[in-house]
Amino acid sequence: RDRMGETAVKAATAIGYRNAGTVEFLVDEDRSFYFLEMNTRLQVEHPVTELVTGIDIVQQQILLAQGERLMLKQNDIHLNGWSLECRINAADPSDRFMPSPGEIPHLILPAGPGVRVDTHIFNPYLVSPFYYSLLAKLIVWANDRSMCIKRMQRALAEFQIDGIKSTIPFHQQVFQDADFIRGDIDTHFLEKWTDPG
């Protein structure tokens, strides 16, 4: 992990980048890593990093944009526990994730220790067919991966969106899957639900 972080810093330094961003790598079975891309913005998954580091990354980005210096050094950042995120979209998993616009007459958001929901929707809410279908990000944190998975299972069971199709049932399948729970996943993992053959 240290070599990957050092490589990310070198990539940002080489282009003179001075703000929040993400450098992504692919890792193979031998733990060799390969550059994938650099995003000069926050990723939609940034809450995962916020929960395991305790750092408000959005606040840090705003301070940098205002011309302030980053007050954190790499040695100030400590990882604590596990975090997982599900993107809850207005999409029908049983129909190749086709968009599912319409009115949400009733909504129940999950809550409790270690559960975070970043969303813009409310009761009632109209999902437009003209924009990206992201409704919410459901993020959980726990001390270890096993508890984090259990916490996500509970949060998904509590999350209710009436009136439209959403990706909640799909995420429930993933978080009940024995291979996923064991951590036996690769880039072909989702094909068991999405491959028509």
Side-chain angles (χ1 to χ4, degrees):
R1 185 170 46 185
D2 291 333
R3 285 185 28 237
M4 198 181 306
E6 290 167 9
T7 302
V9 169
K10 285 180 185 176
T13 302
I15 62 168
Y17 187 71
R18 300 183 57 82
N19 206 310
T22 306
V23 181
E24 296 182 19
F25 301 92
L26 289 174
V27 181
D28 66 16
E29 61 275 355
D30 298 324
R31 298 251 186 227
S32 296
F33 60 92
Y34 306 90
F35 176 79
L36 180 63
E37 66 180 355
M38 181 172 178
N39 295 291
T40 54
R41 57 176 167 74
L42 291 183
Q43 293 286 80
V44 72
E45 302 86 4
H46 76 270
V48 168
T49 304
E50 290 182 341
L51 289 179
V52 297
T53 63
I55 297 168
D56 184 336
I57 299 173
V58 175
Q59 178 191 43
Q60 294 299 315
Q61 185 178 37
I62 291 168
L63 292 173
L64 286 169
Q66 292 175 332
E68 294 190 29
R69 293 182 53 83
L70 183 63
M71 301 308 290
L72 298 167
K73 301 288 184 205
Q74 191 63 46
N75 290 337
D76 299 329
I77 300 170
H78 304 284
L79 302 180
N80 178 29
W82 280 77
S83 186
L84 296 164
E85 177 177 311
C86 291
R87 292 188 202 186
I88 308 300
N89 287 71
D92 185 355
S94 66
D95 188 18
R96 299 179 330 246
F97 295 91
M98 292 298 291
S100 180
E103 185 173 346
I104 299 173
H106 185 67
L107 167 72
I108 297 176
L109 299 176
V115 176
R116 171 177 164 174
V117 181
D118 290 1
T119 188
H120 62 283
I121 63 176
F122 49 86
N123 280 317
Y125 185 81
L126 183 62
V127 178
S128 170
F130 304 113
Y131 301 102
Y132 181 56
S133 65
L134 182 65
L135 299 175
K137 296 182 292 185
L138 173 59
I139 314 100
V140 299
W141 176 91
N143 283 323
D144 59 49
R145 185 174 186 272
S146 175
M147 183 54 70
C148 202
I149 289 171
K150 290 176 183 162
R151 190 164 277 168
M152 181 63 83
Q153 290 168 342
R154 178 189 56 80
L156 286 165
E158 291 177 3
F159 208 142
Q160 294 180 28
I161 300 176
D162 295 341
I164 63 165
K165 301 284 187 179
S166 79
T167 55
I168 292 171
F170 171 75
H171 292 298
Q172 287 173 318
Q173 280 184 296
V174 169
F175 279 85
Q176 294 292 333
D177 183 82
D179 290 335
F180 179 84
I181 291 169
R182 272 194 315 274
D184 186 16
I185 55 175
D186 59 24
T187 56
H188 300 287
F189 175 73
L190 295 181
E191 291 172 5
K192 68 170 78 177
W193 293 289
T194 59
D195 190 351

